[in-house]
Amino acid sequence: MARIVMKFGGTSVGDIDRIKNVARRVKAEVEAGNEVAVVVSAMSGETNKLVDFCRQIAPLHDAREYDAVVSTGEQVTIGLLALALQEAGVNARSWMGWQLPIRTDGAHSKARITTIETDTIIERMSQGQVAVVAGFQGLGPDNRVTTLGRGGSDTSAVALAAALKADICDIYTDVDGVYTTDPRIVSKARKLDKITYEEMLESASLGAKVLQVRSVEMAMKHNVRVQVRSSFSDAPGTLICDEDEIVEKELVSGIAYSRDEAKITLVKVADRPGVAASIFGPLTDANVNVDMIVQNVSHGGGATDLTFTVTKTDLERAVQVLTDAKETLGYQELVADSNVVKVSVIGVGMRSHAGVAQTMFQALSAKGINIQVISTSEIKVSVLIAEEYTELAIRALHTAYGMDAA
Amino acid sequence: MARIVMKFGGTSVGDIDRIKNVARRVKAEVEAGNEVAVVVSAMSGETNKLVDFCRQIAPLHDAREYDAVVSTGEQVTIGLLALALQEAGVNARSWMGWQLPIRTDGAHSKARITTIETDTIIERMSQGQVAVVAGFQGLGPDNRVTTLGRGGSDTSAVALAAALKADICDIYTDVDGVYTTDPRIVSKARKLDKITYEEMLESASLGAKVLQVRSVEMAMKHNVRVQVRSSFSDAPGTLICDEDEIVEKELVSGIAYSRDEAKITLVKVADRPGVAASIFGPLTDANVNVDMIVQNVSHGGGATDLTFTVTKTDLERAVQVLTDAKETLGYQELVADSNVVKVSVIGVGMRSHAGVAQTMFQALSAKGINIQVISTSEIKVSVLIAEEYTELAIRALHTAYGMDAA
């Protein structure tokens, strides 16, 4: 017997038949003798519809009213799933965020969970009742409904699993696990049996949209074992867990990429102390996040080139800010380029193994791909390359690290 | 300055433009210096969709989960209306049933309001904030969401007006008031300026679908002045109020009708004490409501004919129950007829004036319409006639009581 949290996303509860299908999966876990809590998202499309209603009325809306509106999608699905479970002969009841309650801070529309009161549902789960809990929502300090930001139901599920000290948190979705890379690009991509929290965090923040980043951070912090698996098959998925639980660590676990990058180069910036601060200060003030930063070797005459990346959506704003400050910053020219992609090799194994970056550089060089910017962390090497080489680079790296499926 | 409750039904908040229109009407009342609370229904069609979801999953559903699902429609509209008011420059916030709270009994899906806590919103209303309150929903003793039954938002509005001691409760709807009779039948039907609670109750229970019956009962009990008016025009509507507030009472205020009637006659029932009880007992047990009852003069031989009406939906069940009990009841024959209509003349004036019924009988007789059953109350005379005469009878009565518009 185990205590488990099952989470189903919008596609998995997209219509009445699928909700009945979810009920069957939950019933199977109950019949296997497990204590079960279920977290559900809104039916696919519903949240978008509600967000759109709010935007049509007020582009800059009161986040507290927005939360009241958009949280209704999950309220519908918990009620319907509880009914479907009862109809299947399973004891179940729905819980809205304010009923448990799931307490959050007061940052409406992007709230963070602070505590979840679980005494009541733990007692009921021990008596065989399934707790069907609304994802994405909570109760703020103002006694009003809060929401956690898009994809927040993943975080609800992991937070509930942490509060319940659950043995596992199964995230059911429309993919069957985490892959070594995007299977649409590399047909020989392999599903991973296990991946560490750190690797998943790097993958998630790089755009592998399987899980909300915050849910992985929370899983890591509370050591919640999370399994990503398909709601439409019984195949095991990918377990996201602590490094200690992975006996055979692979050197590299995956190749991630992000197209949401743009590069800015400031040509001939004065090469003196404090210049970086004077450039990035105004960007921070304008809410522009800067990612990779490279400062080239000095030109003659005390000048240097500075290159960095921002997200594509921030590019226009960043260029505006830097152009406005051209006099103060004293650079010669600004070059912006949004035809770039960031490709990253991720693996906890590289902490203890040299040569991972070298393999990457050689593989790209062999295909004639020029590296524009490089950045590294303990478990990741990222390069910025021209966007047209995206698929070629990913395939070359997948092969170079011996990750192709047999 | 007045304190007012404004209620808008599903058609009035049916899309984003209409919600903005509601915001304009509310803004006008605020700018006129009034303290305003608004009660809204779900966008038209939404509640039906949610009810249908529940039915698809479980025909006999847990009413607590049903309530969690169907109450979301109003939660959406309060948030959207609060946003629209803010966008129009009006201070506003939404309140769900559990937030005020609006407490109800535990009869899920048909709950009754017990108390409404208003201290907080009264304080905020006095500071110029509009309270946007979800209709149809409340908080049960089990700390779960309850709903009040279809049309319950009218009751929410009247109950809120009573709790707030509001000067008036304006019910905005898609008709512009209460008419002397159905304008689709009588083109000369007149809109009434005022009507008493008692008359409105008789009209409502007879099928004039302007207001939920329970809301009128509640208005009468707490002496809440209710005005029915159009959300699409500025014309004054019909005030539903105490008899004392109506100086010029009309003898007859309206002609109502109900097609949802069926007649059953038991031929040659034994004419002895207790026979009525032995007939209607089994019907009550089978949850069949009996309305008009007439016992004819005895035939010879200690037998009598008994005629009564039930709703059309109950007819089949009633016939079954009586057929099963034929031996016990000892009647000779059962005759059922669903081609009947009940036409009623309503008016508090008839309490003090004789001859109202006589005028009715003469008017019908002059058109050759046969009266099958008659029943009377203090302020109403009802007759059952063949359905094919419905329009003819209503027009004749409307003219006979001098109600035709000039």
Side-chain angles (χ1 to χ4, degrees), chain B residues 129-190:
Chain B
Q129 187 179 76
V130 173
V132 183
V133 178
F136 182 58
Q137 62 177 244
L139 181 66
D142 54 358
N143 204 37
R144 298 184 73 170
V145 174
T146 53
T147 64
L148 312 181
R150 296 311 292 267
S153 292
D154 290 337
T155 304
S156 302
V158 172
L160 184 61
L164 289 172
K165 298 183 175 49
D167 296 287
I168 197 161
C169 177
D170 279 328
I171 307 274
Y172 289 84
T173 176
D174 46 5
V175 298
D176 60 358
V178 180
Y179 278 73
T180 48
T181 192
D182 187 339
R184 291 169 302 182
I185 292 177
V186 180
S187 59
K188 291 184 172 177
R190 282 185 295 114

Side-chain angles (χ1 to χ4, degrees), chain A residues 221-234:
Chain A
K221 182 174 168 193
H222 296 284
N223 214 8
V224 175
R225 301 167 74 241
V226 175
Q227 184 178 205
V228 174
R229 54 190 302 187
S230 166
S231 22
F232 307 111
S233 96
D234 286 326

